[in-house]
Amino acid sequence: MTERLSARAFLALVADESTFTELPHPTRDSGAKEAKPDGPLAWRGYDASRARAAEHTGEQESVVCGTATVTGTRAVLLAFEFGFLGGSLGERTGDRLESAYAYARAHRLPVVPLVATGGSRMQEGMLALTQLQRVARQSALTREAGLPQIAVLRDPTTGGGWATLGAGADVVLALPGAQVGFAGSRVRPPDADPAAYRAEAQVAAGAADAVVPLADLRVALGRWLRLLTGGAGSLRAPSEPATAPTAPGPTAPVAAAPVPAALGAGDLPGTGWAAVRRARSTERPRAQAYLDAYFTHRVPLSGDRCGGTDRGMLCGFGERDGRTVAYAAQAGTATRPAGYRTAARLIRLADRLRIPVLTLVDTPGAANDAEAERQGAGAAIAELFGAVAAARTPVTTLVIGEGGSGGALALAAPDNTWATPDSYFSVIAPELAAAILKRPADQVEATADQLRIRPQDLVELGVIRGVVEPAARPRP
């Protein structure tokens, strides 16, 4: 179990010194139901419980809302006080949260819920539960306004607080060992595995992005805030367009021009099969090397929010020349359904925040095993095709290795795809094409030539815009 800090102690830990300013508390009119003794349900002893909670914590409600800077980026922080009736949500909690979200939208600020709650307040019954609808509405309006939401899961984060403020955020960070799950500890089956209700399990299941040690949280949160606000600490209005990454290549800007202007003929594969061999070579650089070379620093986005992760799809946000660029990169393996869904999630978020996207294509194709089919491979690929097609923010693609069929094309930007000399792009792998055509094995190489899959062939066919060599070649 992680250390349970009070709301204000946690705020002091994540906010820059002396920058937190509490927002005014919204007041309820005298005719509101909560003005009745012991709350809207006249729950005997409720007023006394709240008085004890206030005396114990020094707070008047289970959430403290205010503004602060986190390593220089200003945000609205929503810190739950678990010592106040288990951090539970009641009507007055909903009032404070609604008011804080409205302030964030009015001032174009990101929202950071610092969650520690057991769920809805039983003493207020269904009126407490319906606060989740209020929170969900405020989160949706904030999302529509193009403002990021980054949740930090403390111990515990359960019930409706997890299902709205936590899991509903764009990025979800969690403290090590924090109890995280829809079901709280007292309502789970007696034989339930407690490890399934921990932050680490939620990351493994694709429901959260990362576990961050408490000592590293302020720096990690500040980096996320800076990147998702475009690297400047303030956000563009939704109507303001983003501009494309400065170059299609992974390092310094490259003047991308069609062959042969960009590259000499000796730099390109002579045959289709030579292109395949170069793309499959263990000596060429992979996505990790390209990303390391391109970005000053970056943070990973993990998980498809549907129960899955795929280490073969690297997604996240990075900084390049002082600006933020989102990335989704295949790492040379067969891409699984969770990978496609994670990439689609990344592109939709970048589009909403008007952040340009760089995608790196390198896969033999989509995973085609039975488990991949059970996980909805076709639907996941369709989701990514749709996300790329609908994106209003610029998407630039670089093919750095194998471009295997639709499983690779789903990540490629229409009319803005480039390739390195180490790559090929094919409607299907040459071996599979030969098999479908019932050709013998010794015809595979000839089939590769017929498919016209070399980078220079793809330029001539109009499939890609050009072939580029990184200015400083990444090491494998």
Side-chain angles (χ1 to χ4, degrees):
M1 180 183 297
T2 188
E3 182 182 3
R4 286 183 179 172
L5 297 175
S6 69
R8 293 189 189 270
F10 205 83
L11 285 167
L13 187 146
V14 299
D16 297 339
E17 187 175 359
S18 302
T19 63
F20 180 75
T21 302
E22 191 167 356
L23 292 172
H25 302 157
T27 57
R28 299 194 134 240
D29 61 66
S30 58
K33 291 183 179 180
E34 199 184 355
K36 295 180 179 179
D38 286 330
L41 304 186
W43 186 287
R44 186 175 179 181
Y46 181 37
D47 283 347
S49 295
R50 284 190 292 188
R52 287 193 298 271
E55 182 179 5
H56 173 65
T57 63
E59 306 296 346
Q60 296 302 310
E61 197 35 77
S62 61
V63 67
V64 178
C65 304
T67 63
T69 63
V70 182
T71 66
T73 302
R74 190 163 176 251
V76 170
L77 307 182
L78 318 174
F80 277 76
E81 176 54 72
F82 189 74
F84 194 101
L85 301 181
S88 57
L89 282 79
E91 286 187 295
R92 290 194 300 183
T93 323
D95 292 342
R96 291 192 179 195
L97 293 171
E98 183 175 64
S99 177
Y101 269 103
Y103 184 93
R105 291 194 298 275
H107 294 82
R108 306 278 323 146
L109 295 175
V111 179
V112 181
L114 307 170
V115 190
T117 175
S120 300
R121 196 168 298 172
M122 291 181 296
Q123 296 93 329
E124 296 185 21
M126 279 301 298
L127 291 174
L129 192 64
T130 58
Q131 301 311 303
L132 304 181
Q133 294 172 320
R134 291 179 74 186
V135 171
R137 173 64 175 163
Q138 292 305 311
S139 179
L141 290 173
T142 303
R143 189 176 299 114
E144 289 175 5
L147 299 168
Q149 300 170 70
I150 305 172
V152 176
L153 311 182
R154 298 152 59 203
D155 186 63
T157 298
T158 60
W162 164 230
T164 52
L165 290 156
D170 299 312
V171 176
V172 181
L173 310 178
L175 296 182
Q179 181 186 174
V180 180
F182 187 66
S185 59
R186 298 184 183 181
V187 297
R188 299 171 193 155
D191 59 347
D193 178 8
Y197 301 86
R198 297 292 178 196
E200 292 77 4
Q202 297 294 351
V203 172
D209 291 288
V211 171
V212 181
L214 190 61
D216 301 334
L217 182 61
R218 189 172 76 91
V219 172
L221 180 57
R223 181 167 288 180
W224 268 111
L225 284 168
R226 178 173 173 80
L227 287 170
L228 294 191
T229 56
S234 61
L235 288 153
R236 290 185 295 267
S239 59
E240 296 181 55
T243 54
T246 54
T251 54
V254 179
V259 174
L263 294 166
D267 298 316
L268 296 167
T271 66
W273 188 245
V276 172
R277 291 184 63 185
R278 286 179 67 166
R280 293 176 181 175
S281 171
T282 59
E283 300 300 314
R284 69 164 176 83
R286 305 285 165 151
Q288 187 83 33
Y290 280 85
L291 296 173
D292 288 345
Y294 187 70
F295 291 112
T296 306
H297 64 265
R298 55 193 173 92
V299 289
L301 197 78
S302 177
D304 65 356
R305 299 300 186 260
C306 297
T309 59
D310 180 4
R311 293 184 180 180
M313 180 71 81
L314 310 177
C315 294
F317 293 82
E319 188 170 85
R320 166 78 177 180
D321 296 332
R323 66 180 299 187
T324 301
V325 177
Y327 64 87
Q330 291 167 319
T333 60
T335 306
R336 304 203 63 80
Y340 291 113
R341 285 190 286 261
T342 304
R345 174 191 162 213
L346 178 282
I347 290 169
R348 286 193 296 264
L349 175 57
D351 186 53
R352 200 169 71 242
L353 301 180
R354 298 296 193 266
I355 295 172
V357 180
L358 171 67
T359 68
L360 301 181
V361 169
D362 183 13
T363 179
N368 58 7
D369 55 88
E371 186 59 28
E373 292 297 334
R374 283 191 287 266
Q375 293 170 357
I381 296 170
E383 183 180 352
L384 180 54
F385 267 119
V388 172
R392 297 158 297 176
T393 197
V395 180
T396 302
T397 298
L398 185 65
V399 185
I400 62 171
E402 291 193 82
S405 193
L409 187 65
L411 197 60
D415 303 322
N416 199 22
T417 292
W418 307 75
T420 71
D422 293 332
S423 67
Y424 79 87
F425 218 146
S426 180
V427 64
I428 193 170
E431 297 93 335
L432 298 179
I436 291 171
L437 296 171
K438 298 182 180 180
R439 293 178 175 179
D442 61 6
Q443 291 296 306
V444 169
E445 294 185 21
T447 303
D449 283 333
Q450 283 185 288
L451 289 169
R452 301 200 65 194
I453 60 179
R454 299 176 304 168
Q456 60 266 44
D457 295 328
L458 300 171
V459 173
E460 186 177 338
L461 292 168
V463 174
I464 65 174
R465 292 181 63 180
V467 184
V468 294
E469 181 78 54
R473 191 155 181 77
R475 295 181 179 179

